[in-house]
Each structure stands twice: as C-alpha cells, then as structure tokens.
C-alpha cells in the first residue's frame, strides 16, 4: 500500500519454529501484516520469487517479482474486523501502565535479559489472552485452623489478623512463617486460604529463577488469592527486589529495552494475599523481610500433639494405632510432624505385610529397626557421630567432625 510503513514477516511463523532466514522473510505493509495474523490472508512458498498469497475466499496471486505490490480487497460485510490486539506492538506504542491481562497477552514478546537486567522487546502481535493465561491448580483439599495441632498460639494470632482485615475490608498483611523443615508451615498457609475462602497458589522459591517467572506467576493471580512462597530465602536477588513493590503496592515496575532505547511500564496486579515460609530468615534480604509485617515463629511440637497427629494419620490410612505405639512414634519424631507421618506410614506397611489388624508397639519397633532408627529416634549417622565424640574425649570442631564422618 502506497505510503504505508513496511514490516518484516516470517512466512513460517517464528512461534511455529520458522527460521529467520532470507528464504523465510518477506515485507508487508502494516495492514496486510495484520490480515495475515487475523487469518484473512495466508502466505506460502519461499522468498523472494516463489510466494503464494491466498485470500480468505481462496483466490491466489502468484508473486513472480519481489517488487510486486499486493492490494487486498476490504473485508466483506459481516466479516470480522481485525481486533486491536492484532496490531503489532512496537517500542513507541508501549503504554505507561498495564494490567495483568496485558502481560499475559504480550509476555511472549518480552524476554528477560539477566546481564542487562531488563526485558528485551521483540516487536510482534500479541497472543490471545485465553491461550496465554496461566492456570494455577489449587490443592484438592485445604486444612482448616481447627485441624492444626501443636500451634495454638500461632493459629490464634493468625485468626486475629484475618478477622481484623475482614472487619476493615482490606486484605491481610503479608505473613512470614519461620520454622524447621517439616514443621507445618505449608499446612498453616493453606489454612489461611481456607479461612479466607480463597484458593491457595503454592510455589517453591528456587523455581522462580528470574523476574519473567515471577511475572508469569503473579499475572495469573486473582483478587483474594493466597500466594504461598516456600523457602523464600532462596529467591534470586533480582526477583526478591521486584517482589518488594508487589507485596505492598501490588504493582511492578518493568524495565523494557530495545537496542539502546529503554523505558519502564507499571504493571497493576491483583489484590492477592502473600504468605511465605522460611527455615532461615537471616538469609532473607532485610528489605524483603521487613515487608512481611506479620511474622510468626512456629512453636516446638510437644509429644501430646504429635501422638494425636499419629492417631489421626493412622486413621486416614485405615489402620488403628494403639496408644503405646502413638507415644513411641511421637517420641522418636523429634518434634517434626513430617518425620512422624513418614514413620506412621512405614509402620502401616509393616502391619500390612505381617497381616496385623492394628499398629502396636512391636510393629513400630520393627518399622524403626528396618529404617535403622533406635527408640531414641537416632539414625545410624547420629549414633556414629556420638560414638566419635565419646571416643575423642574432648571438644571437637565441626570441620574435624565432618572429616571423621567422611562428610568433608
């Protein structure tokens, strides 16, 4: 079209594996380029002298010369007009402020460059939002606060925070849970979602490797969703820095570059709730940790609570557990619910294999012996370390102990 700006088009689309080679490239005006991506015009063959342009109604124009200009008829009455999103996005057309739906449509055109610390823009046509929208699968069942054992103080504190937010008509402040591995942090986070009547979206921090992964994650959230970030201390520094703004302002500032040109756009996020867990809060950047205005340190689990948990777990496994067996399991679990549940499952396997109707003390002892665990809950490595310390007879450093254990 005379006077129209020209655009380069991949004959076999790049999204379908088309290479950037002279044989796979042609030049179109902006209007024809939009028609191609709308499906109203198809291009086949190889450039520059063997291209076939096919209209919607099936007529073909064979281009024998690369300089030939193709003028398309206007769309017929009733035919769908090119949608706005079919117009290729350029650096000059970048808006200053966008929402999550915009990111989902355009994320294919924005590639994170870790060396420069920016998103590099590749001009092109946006995707359909229904295709690009990520789907976060919520856990099939979410526990409730009433079902959580051994954390009465923490549960009551979380209930107060959620109730205050409900009364004031706002989202709860970001919550940080600190405790040992297997201590029930994930269960508490899902109970928060259950109390709010919203879905929980779980993610492990090491999976969020770069800002683009964070963008894809938060762009799929809806108002009220509970985002649970496990092991948040393992977030890469750039991701952690971007998360500062998202936690409190519910926005993200995106640096975008094309060649030597650079700009920023503001991404508006859904009003989600953040719950994070860590086993080592000292490894978190101080600015990130301070943004979690509600911080809880999990209490140490007592044997009474663990014994009840053992009985509840055995009931779920359809295998009764005697009181003595529950007490023994609670003692050897060393205050860790995850370790207790694993031992109950091991004892259940022994009971099934031995055709025993219930899990008694003898069954538990047999299960512990099979795993090399004594009635103090010590594994072979623990007993070996204690024997070395007794034999050494004097204080010993960690490195020396590790060398003696063959762990250095």
């Amino acid at each position: 079209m005379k006077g129209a700006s020209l655009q380069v088009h991949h004959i076999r689309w790049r999204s379908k594996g088309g290479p950037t080679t002279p044989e796979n490239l042609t030049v179109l005006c902006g209007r024809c380029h939009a028609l191609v991506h709308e499906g109203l015009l198809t291009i086949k063959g190889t450039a520059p002298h063997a291209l076939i342009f096919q209209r919607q109604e099936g007529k073909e124009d064979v281009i024998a010369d690369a300089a030939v200009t193709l003028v398309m008829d206007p769309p017929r009455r009733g035919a769908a007009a090119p949608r706005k999103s079919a117009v290729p996005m350029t650096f000059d057309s970048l808006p200053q402020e966008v929402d999550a739906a915009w990111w989902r449509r355009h994320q294919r055109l924005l590639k994170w460059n870790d060396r420069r610390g920016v998103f590099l823009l590749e001009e092109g046509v946006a995707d359909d939002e229904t295709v690009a929208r990520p789907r976060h699968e919520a856990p099939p069942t979410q526990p409730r606060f009433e079902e959580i054992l051994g954390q009465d103080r923490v549960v009551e504190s979380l209930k107060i925070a959620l109730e205050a937010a409900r009364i004031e008509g706002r989202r709860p402040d970001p919550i940080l849970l600190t405790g040992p591995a297997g201590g029930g942090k994930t269960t508490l986070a899902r109970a928060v979602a259950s109390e709010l009547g919203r879905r929980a979206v779980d993610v492990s921090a090491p999976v969020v490797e770069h800002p683009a992964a964070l963008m894809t994650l938060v762009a799929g959230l809806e108002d009220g969703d509970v985002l649970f970030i496990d092991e948040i201390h393992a977030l890469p520094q750039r991701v952690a820095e971007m998360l500062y703004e998202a936690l409190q302002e519910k926005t993200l500032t995106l640096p975008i570059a094309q060649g030597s040109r650079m700009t920023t756009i503001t991404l508006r996020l859904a009003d989600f709730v953040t719950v994070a867990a860590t086993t080592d809060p000292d490894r978190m950047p101080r600015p990130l940790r301070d943004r979690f205005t509600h911080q809880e340190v999990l209490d140490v689990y007592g044997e009474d609570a663990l014994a009840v948990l053992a009985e509840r777990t055995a009931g779920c496994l359809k295998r009764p557990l005697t009181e003595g067996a529950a007490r023994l399991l609670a003692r050897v679990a060393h205050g860790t619910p995850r370790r207790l549940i694993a031992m109950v499952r091991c004892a259940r396997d022994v009971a099934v294999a031995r055709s025993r109707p219930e899990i008694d003390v003898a069954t538990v002892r047999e299960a512990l012996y099979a795993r090399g665990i004594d009635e103090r809950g010590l594994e072979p490595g623990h007993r070996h370390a204690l024997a070395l310390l007794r034999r050494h007879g004097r204080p010993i450093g960690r490195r020396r102990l590790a060398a003696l254990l063959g762990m250095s």
Side-chain angles (χ1 to χ4, degrees):
M1 297 179 60
K2 186 175 181 180
S5 61
L6 298 179
Q7 300 172 1
V8 177
H9 170 70
H10 287 72
I11 300 166
R12 182 184 177 193
W13 294 6
R14 281 199 309 172
S15 61
K16 298 180 180 179
T20 305
T21 60
E23 296 78 12
N24 194 49
L25 298 176
T26 189
V27 178
L28 301 174
C29 69
R31 179 171 176 270
C32 292
H33 201 179
L35 291 174
V36 170
H37 286 276
E38 279 296 298
L40 301 177
L41 171 68
T42 59
I43 304 175
K44 300 178 181 179
T46 58
H49 304 300
L51 293 178
I52 299 176
F53 288 73
Q54 184 174 359
R55 298 188 183 93
Q56 186 183 38
E57 59 266 32
K59 297 180 180 179
E60 296 183 353
D61 292 314
V62 180
I63 307 303
D65 190 332
V68 171
T69 301
L70 177 68
V71 179
M72 290 296 300
D73 296 329
R76 297 167 302 182
R77 183 179 300 276
R83 52 188 171 86
K84 185 177 180 180
S85 61
V87 178
M89 183 180 68
T90 65
F91 188 86
D92 292 328
S93 68
L94 284 173
Q96 293 183 343
E97 188 172 318
V98 298
D99 58 12
W102 183 94
W103 167 264
R104 291 193 293 268
R105 293 193 301 270
H106 294 84
Q107 61 179 330
R108 178 177 57 83
L109 307 176
L110 297 168
K111 307 297 183 183
W112 175 254
N113 185 290
D114 197 59
R115 183 178 60 84
R116 296 180 60 183
V118 297
F119 289 94
L120 299 181
L121 172 64
E122 297 180 5
E123 295 185 357
V125 177
D127 291 326
D128 188 336
E129 182 185 349
T130 58
V131 175
R133 182 179 178 85
R135 300 181 181 275
H136 300 306
E137 296 297 334
T141 58
Q142 295 183 168
R144 303 192 64 82
F145 281 143
E146 293 77 12
E147 302 171 4
I148 296 176
L149 300 170
Q151 297 294 334
D152 295 345
R153 179 194 61 79
V154 175
V155 167
E156 186 61 27
S157 177
L158 291 174
K159 281 184 176 180
I160 292 173
L162 299 185
E163 179 63 15
R166 185 191 65 79
I167 292 173
E168 294 182 345
R170 58 174 174 83
R171 300 298 179 196
D173 294 334
I175 300 169
L176 178 65
L177 304 175
T178 300
K185 300 184 292 297
T186 301
T187 302
L188 279 168
R190 291 178 179 173
V192 169
S194 181
E195 191 74 9
L196 294 173
R198 305 295 299 185
R199 66 171 182 165
V201 178
D202 299 353
V203 64
S204 180
V207 176
V208 190
E209 297 177 336
H210 46 73
L214 174 66
M215 296 295 305
T216 301
L217 175 67
V218 297
L221 298 175
E222 300 173 355
D223 286 344
D225 282 352
V226 177
L227 173 62
F228 174 57
I229 308 175
D230 197 12
E231 301 298 331
I232 191 172
H233 59 265
L235 279 179
Q237 182 178 353
R238 287 193 186 276
V239 177
E241 291 171 352
M242 291 190 69
L243 192 59
Y244 299 162
E245 184 183 5
L247 288 179
Q248 292 185 330
E249 304 298 331
K250 295 301 185 289
T251 60
L252 284 174
T253 301
L254 310 182
I256 299 177
Q258 187 180 59
S260 60
R261 305 173 69 187
M262 185 169 175
T263 187
T264 60
I265 63 175
T266 300
L267 173 66
R268 301 188 308 273
L269 302 175
D271 192 10
F272 60 90
V273 180
T274 307
V275 182
T278 178
T279 57
D280 192 354
D282 292 334
R283 289 175 56 190
M284 292 178 62
R286 186 61 182 267
L288 176 60
R289 189 170 62 181
D290 290 346
R291 279 165 171 77
F292 287 90
T293 52
H294 189 126
Q295 300 187 17
E296 296 285 353
V297 179
L298 271 61
D299 297 326
V300 177
Y301 285 84
E303 288 190 11
D304 290 341
L306 290 176
V308 175
L309 179 59
E311 293 176 354
R312 181 183 297 176
T313 303
C316 294
L317 298 175
K318 304 295 189 294
R319 190 66 54 166
L321 181 70
T322 65
E323 182 179 353
R327 286 289 172 181
L328 176 56
L329 287 166
R331 186 167 67 251
V332 301
H334 290 174
T336 306
R338 185 182 297 167
R339 178 181 170 93
L340 173 81
I341 293 173
M343 291 181 176
V344 173
R345 289 182 174 276
C346 185
R348 184 276 311 267
D349 291 344
V350 173
V352 172
R354 300 288 185 262
S355 300
R356 296 171 185 170
E358 64 179 6
I359 302 173
D360 55 14
V361 173
T363 303
V364 172
R365 286 174 175 162
E366 186 174 349
L368 294 176
Y369 177 80
R371 298 185 60 179
I373 302 174
D374 62 22
E375 293 193 19
R376 298 171 296 174
L378 300 179
E379 299 176 5
H382 301 148
R383 295 193 294 271
H384 183 35
L386 291 175
L388 284 174
L389 291 173
R390 284 195 298 267
R391 189 162 60 246
H392 200 268
R394 62 179 183 274
I396 184 173
R398 290 184 302 168
R399 292 185 179 179
R400 175 62 174 163
L401 179 61
L404 293 173
L405 293 172
M407 299 173 61
S408 58

